[in-house]
């Protein structure tokens, strides 16, 4: 096939067709995306305004909400505009930006979830030493490190992906630019890059995932030693819900970035990518925050305060 220069736009084929069932699915996805933005914005606002939430645990939750809001805002508006307008083109610069932002936020969230699991481990297993083992200084270092490592991975993969010459068939069977999908269009040997990308995925996904499993294994071991049934039930419920969200996020990311090339399918990739870019962000505020009694209490106080504010007329 002929090679194209990097100034030719790519065509995103999208997630949906213009049929009634797909229109219904589009409305469902948009509803979920709006709920995700509102839920994460609410959590971010509560943590910012309520001084009782100015702790390392809630600071990490606020960063998770910020990452989820940014990820949804980067992908969904473009996807919706393409579907409604029929104009599905995206420039190489726009494509590179989507790759960079999605990998920055995805990689950053991967490490942030590991930091949050460590925070829970310290809180449950070493509550008296929590101020020392989970100091503000360590919390800020882990947060900055999460953002930095995600950005480094995103910058490297975006630059490397766009450095390849692409074939004239510039259609991307996806709803946003993702490095493994775009590499398939390259008219060059990408084996070295794919091997490097695989190593990056081991570092960015499997290492944090292993740390999370270790932290929750230690938490569960400590929970089993609790004497009260109610405390064990509550701890098991919390751990299982956290691990279900973690499993969805890491499972989808590993499926996209670490699956052998011979097993890849465009339709499967689109559905799985939707899980960690659209559906998981709406679960995070529900699982990590709104099920929390302190957050629910703060939300009720805020709603009562808003209801008691009467309009003043001059």
């Amino acid at each position: 096939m002929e090679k194209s220069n990097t100034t030719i736009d790519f065509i995103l084929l999208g997630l949906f067709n213009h049929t009634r069932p797909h229109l219904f699915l589009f409305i469902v996805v948009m509803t979920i995306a709006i709920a995700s933005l509102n839920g994460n914005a609410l959590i971010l606002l509560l943590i910012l305004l309520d001084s009782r939430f100015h702790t390392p645990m809630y600071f990490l939750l606020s960063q998770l909400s910020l990452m989820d809001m940014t990820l949804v805002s980067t992908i969904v508006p473009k996807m919706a505009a393409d579907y409604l307008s029929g104009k599905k083109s995206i420039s190489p610069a726009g494509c590179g930006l989507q790759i960079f932002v999605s990998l920055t936020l995805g990689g950053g969230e991967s490490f942030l979830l590991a930091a949050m699991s460590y925070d829970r481990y310290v809180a449950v297993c070493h509550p008296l030493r929590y101020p020392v083992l989970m100091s503000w200084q360590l919390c800020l270092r882990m947060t900055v490190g999460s953002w930095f490592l995600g950005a480094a991975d995103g910058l490297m993969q975006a630059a490397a992906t766009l450095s390849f010459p692409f074939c004239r068939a510039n259609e991307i069977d996806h709803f946003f630019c993702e490095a493994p999908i775009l590499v398939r269009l390259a008219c060059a040997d990408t084996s070295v890059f794919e091997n490097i990308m695989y190593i990056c995925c081991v570092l960015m996904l499997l290492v944090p995932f292993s740390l999370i499993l270790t932290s929750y294994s230690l938490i569960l071991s400590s929970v089993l030693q609790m004497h009260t049934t109610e405390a064990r039930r509550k701890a098991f419920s919390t751990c299982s819900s956290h691990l279900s969200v973690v499993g969805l996020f890491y499972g989808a990311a590993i499926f996209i970035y670490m699956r052998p090339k011979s097993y890849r399918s465009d339709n499967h990739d689109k559905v799985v990518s939707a899980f960690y870019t659209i559906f998981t962000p709406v679960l995070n505020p529900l699982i990590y925050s709104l099920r929390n009694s302190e957050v629910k209490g703060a939300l009720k106080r805020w709603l009562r305060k808003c209801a008691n504010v009467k309009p003043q007329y001059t």
Side-chain angles (χ1 to χ4, degrees):
M1 298 180 67
E2 293 184 28
K3 298 179 181 179
S4 67
N5 61 50
T6 55
T7 61
I8 296 178
D9 289 351
F10 296 104
I11 305 298
L12 292 170
L13 297 183
L15 189 59
F16 306 108
N17 298 320
H18 290 278
T19 60
R20 285 188 177 182
H22 278 229
L23 177 59
F24 173 75
L25 291 175
F26 172 76
I27 294 172
V28 170
V29 168
M30 290 304 300
T31 302
I32 292 172
I34 293 170
S36 173
L37 289 172
N38 290 334
N40 283 293
L42 180 61
I43 296 303
L44 199 59
L45 189 63
L46 284 176
I47 293 173
L48 181 66
L49 297 179
D50 197 325
S51 59
R52 282 167 289 197
F53 294 143
H54 295 173
T55 63
M57 180 185 81
Y58 288 108
F59 179 75
L60 293 174
L61 281 174
S62 71
Q63 295 301 298
L64 181 66
S65 291
L66 180 60
M67 288 181 177
D68 285 340
M69 285 178 60
T70 309
L71 183 61
V72 173
S73 300
T74 302
I75 293 171
V76 174
K78 170 64 177 171
M79 179 195 74
D82 288 352
Y83 181 76
L84 295 174
S85 68
K87 298 178 181 178
K88 300 183 177 183
S89 63
I90 184 171
S91 66
C95 203
L97 182 62
Q98 279 197 335
I99 294 173
F100 170 71
V101 174
S102 62
L103 284 172
T104 295
L105 298 171
E109 186 165 328
S110 178
F111 285 105
L112 190 68
L113 288 172
M116 291 169 66
S117 71
Y118 170 76
D119 172 80
R120 292 299 82 208
Y121 159 72
V122 174
V124 173
C125 300
H126 303 283
L128 298 180
R129 300 180 62 197
Y130 183 85
V132 177
L133 296 177
M134 192 60 192
S135 63
W136 268 110
Q137 186 179 28
L138 177 60
C139 177
L140 292 174
R141 285 179 178 176
M142 289 193 296
T143 303
V144 172
S146 297
W147 281 99
F148 175 78
L149 290 171
D153 182 53
L155 182 62
M156 182 197 71
Q157 291 206 38
T161 301
L162 292 179
S163 68
F164 292 115
F166 293 98
C167 299
R168 287 287 179 185
N170 59 339
E171 293 184 344
I172 304 174
D173 193 5
H174 211 49
F175 61 96
F176 73 101
C177 288
E178 208 165 13
I181 312 300
L182 198 60
V183 164
R184 298 180 198 172
L185 302 181
C187 293
D189 182 12
T190 61
S191 57
V192 174
F193 170 71
E194 290 183 34
N195 290 333
I196 294 174
M197 187 166 61
Y198 187 86
I199 294 171
C200 287
C201 289
V202 170
L203 298 175
M204 302 291 289
L205 293 173
L206 294 187
V207 171
F209 187 54
S210 300
L211 293 174
I212 291 172
L213 292 180
T214 301
S215 295
Y216 278 106
S217 296
L218 294 172
I219 290 172
L220 290 174
S221 177
S222 178
V223 166
L224 290 173
Q225 299 176 19
M226 294 179 177
H227 299 292
T228 61
T229 305
E230 180 63 22
R232 283 200 300 268
R233 186 196 64 78
K234 186 176 180 180
F236 272 122
S237 175
T238 301
C239 288
S240 61
S241 59
H242 286 193
L243 285 174
S244 64
V245 175
V246 166
L248 277 175
F249 174 79
Y250 282 96
I254 290 170
F255 183 87
I256 292 295
Y257 285 92
M258 300 190 69
R259 192 169 32 134
K261 199 172 184 178
S262 57
Y263 290 94
R264 291 177 182 171
S265 165
D266 290 333
N267 289 331
H268 291 162
D269 287 345
K270 287 192 286 188
V271 173
V272 174
S273 292
F275 266 98
Y276 80 90
T277 57
I278 300 173
F279 298 120
T280 302
V282 79
L283 293 177
N284 284 338
L286 294 174
I287 298 298
Y288 287 102
S289 301
L290 295 180
R291 292 186 68 211
N292 185 305
S293 58
E294 293 178 348
V295 174
K296 287 191 291 187
L299 180 59
K300 290 177 182 177
R301 288 192 298 270
W302 185 71
L303 291 175
R304 281 197 299 266
K305 185 177 179 180
C306 292
N308 291 331
V309 175
K310 297 181 180 179
Q312 297 182 357
Y313 299 96
T314 56

